[in-house]
Amino acid sequence: MMEVAASEVRGAPEAAVPRAREVYFTEALQEALAEEMRRDPEVFLLGEDIGVYGGCFGVTRGLLAEFGPERVRDTPISEAALVGMAVGAAILGARPVVEVMFMDFVTLAMDQLVNHAAKFRYVYGEQARVPLVLRCPAGAGRAYGATHSQSLEAWFLHVPGLKVVAPATAADAKGLLKSAIRDDNPVIFIENKVLYQSRERIPEGEYAIPLGQARRVCEGGDVTLVAYSRMAREAERAAVLLAEEGVSAEVIDLRTLAPLDIGTVVESVAKTGRVVLVEEGTRTGGACAEIGVQIFEHAWDSLDAPIRRVTTPDIPIPFAPELEAAVIPAAADIAAAARALVET
Amino acid sequence: MTAVESYKRMWRIRLFEEVVDRLFGEGVLRGTSHLCVGQEATAVGTCAALRPDDYVTSTHRGHGHFLAKGGDPRRLMAELFGKATGYSRGRGGSQHMACFEIGFLGSNGITGGGIPVATGAALALQRRREERVVACFFGEGAANQGVFHESLNMAALWKLPAIYVCENNLYAMSTPVGGALAGPGVAARAAGYGVPGALVDGNDIFAVRAAASEAAARARCGEGPTLIECRTYRLLGHSRGDRRVYRTREEEAEWRARDPIPRLRDALLRSGEVTALEAERIREEVELEIRDAVAFARESPALPVEAALEGVYA
Ligand SMILES: Cc1ncc(C[n+]2csc(CCOP(=O)(O)OP(=O)(O)O)c2C)c(N)n1
């Protein structure tokens, strides 16, 4: 498990701080955790190797020193129980934030998430609140192989009661994680492992970004590219490629998959009449399948061409770096799909 | 397996792992891997007690188990290079490779994931009334997964021919065993299921082999599973990029002094099974073998991209 070279640089003296700072994606997440822990003593962290080690990807590095082992709690390798314990703590008013080391391991905790976390509010007659966040490092691109590279978010869209958040930028990661922690529902928070290494500007000072609002990354009139998480960055790159060929693409970064801001998508499709949906997850039953149908339900009459999907094919993620790179969607694939649509 | 052959396999594992470590450092290999330097005696000692047609299941730290069971270093190395000649044709990688033919049922990326698989393999053997056994390797960290307890319960209940070999190397990633495992230890958990539990020095290949032989004999005659806890130490980091902030260099030095390979060599010299010169020659032979494995892997072809799309269903 490689670590991200997250710099340990913390805020300089107030006066010298510019209005925006450059931080690693990991640091943006770490700031969100630290700020929420300072704000609310009920927020605490649970996970494997999140203390001294700082988490497999360095996201919790430094938090043990500030908050101590009771609030930055290393657990045994017991995903089913630790997610279940987060549910139990949450119904008594705690706000646990669980790090599952790789999203792939969420499989071990599925019962507690699906049959417990997602159900308690409804079945216990609204007595219960389950304010927990499950942070899930996800995605391929690091040659970790089939059990350490998956994007499993689509599963959770099928579970009423769960929210699903998947930021693409460091600024969004921070603002959305803060909202996720404050939310009174169980939230699956997807962190793409390739994004961890990106260094970006984030706003200075306190801010939170509401769940359920998509972001228009760039405006365009010929085709809409809808994506989230790392694929929103690939879509952005695809828009640049397309612009060079005179095709004007509008990019929508969904940011939250549940609840889904279909309104923003439909508004864009109404303008362009063409849409490419992108996800890193595998194709069948993926997030794009749902988004595509919703577009059809809401805006079939604005479509000038069939909906196109760019996804990972229906296979386990291969280990060999060249094979892995070949099967994960990239900007060129998205641009090719958009080009084909515009030509129809 | 003779003690001399065991010695050779331990060197094969050691030099394989050291070369892999170097190739990662040089950026030749990509992804990550978990090396078992220092733990060679648990892998080889266990496999020395097995018959060639017995099975083992492995973990994320599986190169040693694979080589101990008779894996070909060339095809292992090719897998780490992501080449078509690798055991999984480059699709699996370090944590996902197997060779059923030699009884190696796979390394495993999920901590504890191999434990129920081994238990099920033992069930299959029992159903066929075959006198074969399954050795299940796992770390002490995996002993805290629910499936460990669920599997031991069923194996004990049905007297399955399984040997649970816990490699307690004192840390699960950064977590010291004392910070994660309640009770007196992994072996002591056997009592909860009414099966024998043995605590052995995992750096003493004779102790490991003796415990595994006894467990295999029990399993073969239908008396059920045994839980063996081997105390050992992984001398390198958990994986690539581990700065080992959770333990001291002094502790590492203490364990280096208990390196299982020189220990076996000294025993072989004392018993007269090898001379110093022969021992050195064995190491040199293995060195050439590993060099050859790297060359083979380097020169092997990659799998064509279309082949990444195949093989999902039988
Ligand atoms: C279900 C699951 N949880 C967490 C991990 C991440 N992980 C990989 S190895 C490891 C430590 C395992 O410790 P142990 O079982 O003692 O084996 P060791 O690494 O010491 O050989 C962890 C936490 C994983 N691969 N699978």
mmCIF file of all heavy atoms in Angstrom, chain A residues 183-216:
data_model
loop_
_atom_site.group_PDB
_atom_site.id
_atom_site.type_symbol
_atom_site.label_atom_id
_atom_site.label_comp_id
_atom_site.label_asym_id
_atom_site.label_seq_id
_atom_site.Cartn_x
_atom_site.Cartn_y
_atom_site.Cartn_z
ATOM 1 N N ASP A 183 -24.418 15.576 8.180
ATOM 2 C CA ASP A 183 -25.681 14.975 7.738
ATOM 3 C C ASP A 183 -26.141 13.926 8.751
ATOM 4 O O ASP A 183 -25.330 13.227 9.354
ATOM 5 C CB ASP A 183 -25.485 14.325 6.366
ATOM 6 C CG ASP A 183 -26.798 14.096 5.640
ATOM 7 O OD1 ASP A 183 -27.507 13.113 5.965
ATOM 8 O OD2 ASP A 183 -27.117 14.904 4.752
ATOM 9 N N ASP A 184 -27.445 13.815 8.933
ATOM 10 C CA ASP A 184 -27.975 12.866 9.915
ATOM 11 C C ASP A 184 -28.220 11.476 9.347
ATOM 12 O O ASP A 184 -28.890 10.653 9.973
ATOM 13 C CB ASP A 184 -29.275 13.415 10.515
ATOM 14 C CG ASP A 184 -28.982 14.415 11.626
ATOM 15 O OD1 ASP A 184 -27.885 14.333 12.219
ATOM 16 O OD2 ASP A 184 -29.842 15.273 11.899
ATOM 17 N N ASN A 185 -27.697 11.211 8.166
ATOM 18 C CA ASN A 185 -27.907 9.916 7.518
ATOM 19 C C ASN A 185 -26.570 9.246 7.237
ATOM 20 O O ASN A 185 -25.537 9.907 7.188
ATOM 21 C CB ASN A 185 -28.652 10.122 6.194
ATOM 22 C CG ASN A 185 -30.005 10.754 6.417
ATOM 23 O OD1 ASN A 185 -30.935 10.103 6.869
ATOM 24 N ND2 ASN A 185 -30.102 12.063 6.153
ATOM 25 N N PRO A 186 -26.618 7.941 7.011
ATOM 26 C CA PRO A 186 -25.375 7.271 6.606
ATOM 27 C C PRO A 186 -24.948 7.722 5.216
ATOM 28 O O PRO A 186 -25.756 7.728 4.287
ATOM 29 C CB PRO A 186 -25.743 5.782 6.622
ATOM 30 C CG PRO A 186 -27.219 5.692 6.700
ATOM 31 C CD PRO A 186 -27.747 7.005 7.191
ATOM 32 N N VAL A 187 -23.681 8.109 5.108
ATOM 33 C CA VAL A 187 -23.164 8.628 3.843
ATOM 34 C C VAL A 187 -21.956 7.800 3.411
ATOM 35 O O VAL A 187 -21.021 7.600 4.181
ATOM 36 C CB VAL A 187 -22.726 10.109 3.988
ATOM 37 C CG1 VAL A 187 -22.165 10.619 2.657
ATOM 38 C CG2 VAL A 187 -23.884 10.985 4.455
ATOM 39 N N ILE A 188 -22.014 7.306 2.178
ATOM 40 C CA ILE A 188 -20.868 6.625 1.567
ATOM 41 C C ILE A 188 -20.063 7.713 0.857
ATOM 42 O O ILE A 188 -20.581 8.367 -0.060
ATOM 43 C CB ILE A 188 -21.324 5.574 0.525
ATOM 44 C CG1 ILE A 188 -22.388 4.638 1.108
ATOM 45 C CG2 ILE A 188 -20.132 4.802 -0.030
ATOM 46 C CD1 ILE A 188 -21.930 3.772 2.225
ATOM 47 N N PHE A 189 -18.844 7.917 1.285
ATOM 48 C CA PHE A 189 -18.034 9.018 0.760
ATOM 49 C C PHE A 189 -16.878 8.429 -0.041
ATOM 50 O O PHE A 189 -15.977 7.797 0.521
ATOM 51 C CB PHE A 189 -17.518 9.869 1.925
ATOM 52 C CG PHE A 189 -16.951 11.186 1.498
ATOM 53 C CD1 PHE A 189 -17.772 12.304 1.367
ATOM 54 C CD2 PHE A 189 -15.605 11.307 1.211
ATOM 55 C CE1 PHE A 189 -17.248 13.527 0.958
ATOM 56 C CE2 PHE A 189 -15.077 12.527 0.799
ATOM 57 C CZ PHE A 189 -15.900 13.642 0.677
ATOM 58 N N ILE A 190 -16.925 8.636 -1.352
ATOM 59 C CA ILE A 190 -15.966 7.980 -2.234
ATOM 60 C C ILE A 190 -14.791 8.900 -2.558
ATOM 61 O O ILE A 190 -14.971 10.015 -3.026
ATOM 62 C CB ILE A 190 -16.684 7.522 -3.516
ATOM 63 C CG1 ILE A 190 -17.650 6.391 -3.121
ATOM 64 C CG2 ILE A 190 -15.691 7.040 -4.557
ATOM 65 C CD1 ILE A 190 -18.810 6.256 -4.020
ATOM 66 N N GLU A 191 -13.602 8.387 -2.278
ATOM 67 C CA GLU A 191 -12.379 9.147 -2.519
ATOM 68 C C GLU A 191 -11.553 8.390 -3.545
ATOM 69 O O GLU A 191 -11.085 7.289 -3.272
ATOM 70 C CB GLU A 191 -11.585 9.274 -1.208
ATOM 71 C CG GLU A 191 -12.405 9.920 -0.096
ATOM 72 C CD GLU A 191 -11.737 9.823 1.281
ATOM 73 O OE1 GLU A 191 -10.602 9.318 1.378
ATOM 74 O OE2 GLU A 191 -12.371 10.261 2.260
ATOM 75 N N ASN A 192 -11.393 8.965 -4.715
ATOM 76 C CA ASN A 192 -10.629 8.254 -5.736
ATOM 77 C C ASN A 192 -9.138 8.291 -5.416
ATOM 78 O O ASN A 192 -8.572 9.353 -5.183
ATOM 79 C CB ASN A 192 -10.906 8.852 -7.108
ATOM 80 C CG ASN A 192 -10.247 8.031 -8.185
ATOM 81 O OD1 ASN A 192 -9.035 8.104 -8.379
ATOM 82 N ND2 ASN A 192 -11.025 7.217 -8.864
ATOM 83 N N LYS A 193 -8.511 7.136 -5.443
ATOM 84 C CA LYS A 193 -7.119 7.033 -5.003
ATOM 85 C C LYS A 193 -6.148 7.781 -5.917
ATOM 86 O O LYS A 193 -5.101 8.221 -5.465
ATOM 87 C CB LYS A 193 -6.713 5.553 -4.940
ATOM 88 C CG LYS A 193 -7.522 4.759 -3.929
ATOM 89 C CD LYS A 193 -6.883 3.425 -3.641
ATOM 90 C CE LYS A 193 -7.020 2.404 -4.734
ATOM 91 N NZ LYS A 193 -8.361 1.763 -4.796
ATOM 92 N N VAL A 194 -6.489 7.904 -7.195
ATOM 93 C CA VAL A 194 -5.601 8.638 -8.096
ATOM 94 C C VAL A 194 -5.678 10.137 -7.789
ATOM 95 O O VAL A 194 -4.674 10.848 -7.832
ATOM 96 C CB VAL A 194 -5.951 8.345 -9.569
ATOM 97 C CG1 VAL A 194 -5.233 9.296 -10.513
ATOM 98 C CG2 VAL A 194 -5.579 6.907 -9.902
ATOM 99 N N LEU A 195 -6.863 10.597 -7.413
ATOM 100 C CA LEU A 195 -7.015 12.023 -7.083
ATOM 101 C C LEU A 195 -6.222 12.412 -5.841
ATOM 102 O O LEU A 195 -5.818 13.573 -5.695
ATOM 103 C CB LEU A 195 -8.495 12.362 -6.855
ATOM 104 C CG LEU A 195 -9.416 12.235 -8.064
ATOM 105 C CD1 LEU A 195 -10.844 12.596 -7.673
ATOM 106 C CD2 LEU A 195 -8.942 13.122 -9.211
ATOM 107 N N TYR A 196 -6.009 11.468 -4.936
ATOM 108 C CA TYR A 196 -5.275 11.765 -3.700
ATOM 109 C C TYR A 196 -3.987 12.541 -3.968
ATOM 110 O O TYR A 196 -3.547 13.337 -3.176
ATOM 111 C CB TYR A 196 -4.883 10.460 -2.996
ATOM 112 C CG TYR A 196 -5.946 9.847 -2.118
ATOM 113 C CD1 TYR A 196 -5.987 8.471 -1.929
ATOM 114 C CD2 TYR A 196 -6.866 10.630 -1.433
ATOM 115 C CE1 TYR A 196 -6.929 7.885 -1.101
ATOM 116 C CE2 TYR A 196 -7.817 10.053 -0.603
ATOM 117 C CZ TYR A 196 -7.843 8.673 -0.439
ATOM 118 O OH TYR A 196 -8.761 8.098 0.385
ATOM 119 N N GLN A 197 -3.363 12.250 -5.104
ATOM 120 C CA GLN A 197 -2.052 12.839 -5.378
ATOM 121 C C GLN A 197 -2.146 14.218 -6.029
ATOM 122 O O GLN A 197 -1.125 14.845 -6.261
ATOM 123 C CB GLN A 197 -1.258 11.916 -6.307
ATOM 124 C CG GLN A 197 -0.846 10.631 -5.624
ATOM 125 C CD GLN A 197 -0.653 9.500 -6.617
ATOM 126 O OE1 GLN A 197 -1.468 9.286 -7.505
ATOM 127 N NE2 GLN A 197 0.421 8.766 -6.465
ATOM 128 N N SER A 198 -3.366 14.672 -6.339
ATOM 129 C CA SER A 198 -3.418 15.956 -7.038
ATOM 130 C C SER A 198 -3.357 17.100 -6.042
ATOM 131 O O SER A 198 -3.844 17.016 -4.927
ATOM 132 C CB SER A 198 -4.655 16.049 -7.928
ATOM 133 O OG SER A 198 -5.808 15.903 -7.150
ATOM 134 N N ARG A 199 -2.700 18.150 -6.457
ATOM 135 C CA ARG A 199 -2.512 19.320 -5.603
ATOM 136 C C ARG A 199 -3.293 20.458 -6.238
ATOM 137 O O ARG A 199 -3.100 20.780 -7.408
ATOM 138 C CB ARG A 199 -1.021 19.650 -5.556
ATOM 139 C CG ARG A 199 -0.637 20.518 -4.395
ATOM 140 C CD ARG A 199 0.884 20.598 -4.276
ATOM 141 N NE ARG A 199 1.230 21.801 -3.555
ATOM 142 C CZ ARG A 199 1.183 21.890 -2.228
ATOM 143 N NH1 ARG A 199 0.843 20.861 -1.499
ATOM 144 N NH2 ARG A 199 1.486 23.025 -1.628
ATOM 145 N N GLU A 200 -4.190 21.039 -5.470
ATOM 146 C CA GLU A 200 -5.114 22.025 -6.053
ATOM 147 C C GLU A 200 -5.412 23.154 -5.086
ATOM 148 O O GLU A 200 -5.204 23.034 -3.889
ATOM 149 C CB GLU A 200 -6.452 21.339 -6.369
ATOM 150 C CG GLU A 200 -6.345 20.229 -7.376
ATOM 151 C CD GLU A 200 -7.568 19.331 -7.348
ATOM 152 O OE1 GLU A 200 -8.585 19.725 -6.753
ATOM 153 O OE2 GLU A 200 -7.472 18.227 -7.899
ATOM 154 N N ARG A 201 -5.986 24.201 -5.658
ATOM 155 C CA ARG A 201 -6.378 25.345 -4.818
ATOM 156 C C ARG A 201 -7.708 25.038 -4.143
ATOM 157 O O ARG A 201 -8.608 24.485 -4.756
ATOM 158 C CB ARG A 201 -6.524 26.601 -5.685
ATOM 159 C CG ARG A 201 -5.206 27.062 -6.262
ATOM 160 C CD ARG A 201 -5.395 28.175 -7.266
ATOM 161 N NE ARG A 201 -5.588 29.469 -6.618
ATOM 162 C CZ ARG A 201 -4.599 30.167 -6.040
ATOM 163 N NH1 ARG A 201 -3.374 29.703 -6.037
ATOM 164 N NH2 ARG A 201 -4.833 31.338 -5.499
ATOM 165 N N ILE A 202 -7.797 25.405 -2.875
ATOM 166 C CA ILE A 202 -9.076 25.300 -2.177
ATOM 167 C C ILE A 202 -9.343 26.629 -1.483
ATOM 168 O O ILE A 202 -8.415 27.366 -1.173
ATOM 169 C CB ILE A 202 -9.109 24.149 -1.138
ATOM 170 C CG1 ILE A 202 -8.158 24.410 0.028
ATOM 171 C CG2 ILE A 202 -8.799 22.821 -1.790
ATOM 172 C CD1 ILE A 202 -8.385 23.451 1.197
ATOM 173 N N PRO A 203 -10.612 26.958 -1.265
ATOM 174 C CA PRO A 203 -10.929 28.237 -0.621
ATOM 175 C C PRO A 203 -10.384 28.288 0.801
ATOM 176 O O PRO A 203 -10.303 27.270 1.472
ATOM 177 C CB PRO A 203 -12.459 28.259 -0.595
ATOM 178 C CG PRO A 203 -12.904 27.208 -1.536
ATOM 179 C CD PRO A 203 -11.808 26.195 -1.616
ATOM 180 N N GLU A 204 -10.044 29.472 1.219
ATOM 181 C CA GLU A 204 -9.600 29.679 2.591
ATOM 182 C C GLU A 204 -10.824 29.763 3.488
ATOM 183 O O GLU A 204 -11.916 30.109 3.035
ATOM 184 C CB GLU A 204 -8.797 30.986 2.633
ATOM 185 C CG GLU A 204 -8.014 31.199 3.891
ATOM 186 C CD GLU A 204 -7.125 30.010 4.220
ATOM 187 O OE1 GLU A 204 -6.094 29.838 3.549
ATOM 188 O OE2 GLU A 204 -7.476 29.255 5.142
ATOM 189 N N GLY A 205 -10.652 29.405 4.725
ATOM 190 C CA GLY A 205 -11.721 29.632 5.707
ATOM 191 C C GLY A 205 -12.785 28.559 5.680
ATOM 192 O O GLY A 205 -12.729 27.593 4.925
ATOM 193 N N GLU A 206 -13.763 28.767 6.538
ATOM 194 C CA GLU A 206 -14.830 27.796 6.754
ATOM 195 C C GLU A 206 -15.790 27.754 5.559
ATOM 196 O O GLU A 206 -16.277 28.776 5.109
ATOM 197 C CB GLU A 206 -15.577 28.229 8.029
ATOM 198 C CG GLU A 206 -16.906 27.562 8.282
ATOM 199 C CD GLU A 206 -16.776 26.084 8.591
ATOM 200 O OE1 GLU A 206 -15.771 25.686 9.200
ATOM 201 O OE2 GLU A 206 -17.697 25.347 8.217
ATOM 202 N N TYR A 207 -16.028 26.579 5.051
ATOM 203 C CA TYR A 207 -17.089 26.420 4.050
ATOM 204 C C TYR A 207 -17.545 24.983 4.009
ATOM 205 O O TYR A 207 -16.796 24.070 4.354
ATOM 206 C CB TYR A 207 -16.621 26.873 2.646
ATOM 207 C CG TYR A 207 -15.624 25.944 1.995
ATOM 208 C CD1 TYR A 207 -16.034 24.962 1.092
ATOM 209 C CD2 TYR A 207 -14.270 26.039 2.282
ATOM 210 C CE1 TYR A 207 -15.112 24.097 0.499
ATOM 211 C CE2 TYR A 207 -13.343 25.182 1.696
ATOM 212 C CZ TYR A 207 -13.771 24.215 0.807
ATOM 213 O OH TYR A 207 -12.857 23.369 0.235
ATOM 214 N N ALA A 208 -18.790 24.790 3.636
ATOM 215 C CA ALA A 208 -19.311 23.446 3.414
ATOM 216 C C ALA A 208 -20.079 23.486 2.100
ATOM 217 O O ALA A 208 -20.612 24.522 1.717
ATOM 218 C CB ALA A 208 -20.222 23.023 4.555
ATOM 219 N N ILE A 209 -20.100 22.363 1.411
ATOM 220 C CA ILE A 209 -20.827 22.296 0.135
ATOM 221 C C ILE A 209 -22.000 21.349 0.325
ATOM 222 O O ILE A 209 -21.809 20.209 0.750
ATOM 223 C CB ILE A 209 -19.893 21.799 -0.986
ATOM 224 C CG1 ILE A 209 -18.777 22.828 -1.207
ATOM 225 C CG2 ILE A 209 -20.676 21.553 -2.275
ATOM 226 C CD1 ILE A 209 -17.686 22.364 -2.129
ATOM 227 N N PRO A 210 -23.218 21.823 0.057
ATOM 228 C CA PRO A 210 -24.370 20.965 0.307
ATOM 229 C C PRO A 210 -24.359 19.701 -0.543
ATOM 230 O O PRO A 210 -23.907 19.720 -1.691
ATOM 231 C CB PRO A 210 -25.568 21.853 -0.061
ATOM 232 C CG PRO A 210 -25.024 23.087 -0.661
ATOM 233 C CD PRO A 210 -23.555 23.140 -0.473
ATOM 234 N N LEU A 211 -24.855 18.608 0.032
ATOM 235 C CA LEU A 211 -24.977 17.367 -0.721
ATOM 236 C C LEU A 211 -26.112 17.524 -1.726
ATOM 237 O O LEU A 211 -27.069 18.263 -1.493
ATOM 238 C CB LEU A 211 -25.290 16.196 0.214
ATOM 239 C CG LEU A 211 -24.347 15.977 1.404
ATOM 240 C CD1 LEU A 211 -24.690 14.666 2.121
ATOM 241 C CD2 LEU A 211 -22.888 15.994 0.996
ATOM 242 N N GLY A 212 -25.981 16.842 -2.854
ATOM 243 C CA GLY A 212 -27.088 16.834 -3.803
ATOM 244 C C GLY A 212 -27.067 17.948 -4.835
ATOM 245 O O GLY A 212 -28.072 18.196 -5.488
ATOM 246 N N GLN A 213 -25.947 18.627 -4.969
ATOM 247 C CA GLN A 213 -25.860 19.683 -5.991
ATOM 248 C C GLN A 213 -24.714 19.399 -6.945
ATOM 249 O O GLN A 213 -23.563 19.351 -6.531
ATOM 250 C CB GLN A 213 -25.640 21.052 -5.329
ATOM 251 C CG GLN A 213 -26.850 21.526 -4.554
ATOM 252 C CD GLN A 213 -26.650 22.928 -3.994
ATOM 253 O OE1 GLN A 213 -25.659 23.607 -4.284
ATOM 254 N NE2 GLN A 213 -27.618 23.367 -3.198
ATOM 255 N N ALA A 214 -25.053 19.258 -8.213
ATOM 256 C CA ALA A 214 -24.023 19.051 -9.225
ATOM 257 C C ALA A 214 -23.307 20.371 -9.496
ATOM 258 O O ALA A 214 -23.755 21.435 -9.088
ATOM 259 C CB ALA A 214 -24.647 18.507 -10.500
ATOM 260 N N ARG A 215 -22.171 20.266 -10.190
ATOM 261 C CA ARG A 215 -21.380 21.458 -10.492
ATOM 262 C C ARG A 215 -21.167 21.501 -12.004
ATOM 263 O O ARG A 215 -20.782 20.495 -12.615
ATOM 264 C CB ARG A 215 -20.027 21.321 -9.777
ATOM 265 C CG ARG A 215 -18.989 22.378 -10.069
ATOM 266 C CD ARG A 215 -17.747 22.133 -9.206
ATOM 267 N NE ARG A 215 -17.027 20.938 -9.638
ATOM 268 C CZ ARG A 215 -15.931 20.960 -10.405
ATOM 269 N NH1 ARG A 215 -15.415 22.112 -10.811
ATOM 270 N NH2 ARG A 215 -15.329 19.838 -10.771
ATOM 271 N N ARG A 216 -21.458 22.665 -12.603
ATOM 272 C CA ARG A 216 -21.172 22.805 -14.034
ATOM 273 C C ARG A 216 -19.709 23.196 -14.148
ATOM 274 O O ARG A 216 -19.320 24.283 -13.738
ATOM 275 C CB ARG A 216 -22.077 23.855 -14.669
ATOM 276 C CG ARG A 216 -21.839 23.975 -16.167
ATOM 277 C CD ARG A 216 -22.762 24.957 -16.882
ATOM 278 N NE ARG A 216 -24.145 24.502 -16.926
ATOM 279 C CZ ARG A 216 -25.148 25.075 -16.260
ATOM 280 N NH1 ARG A 216 -24.925 26.132 -15.502
ATOM 281 N NH2 ARG A 216 -26.374 24.611 -16.344
#
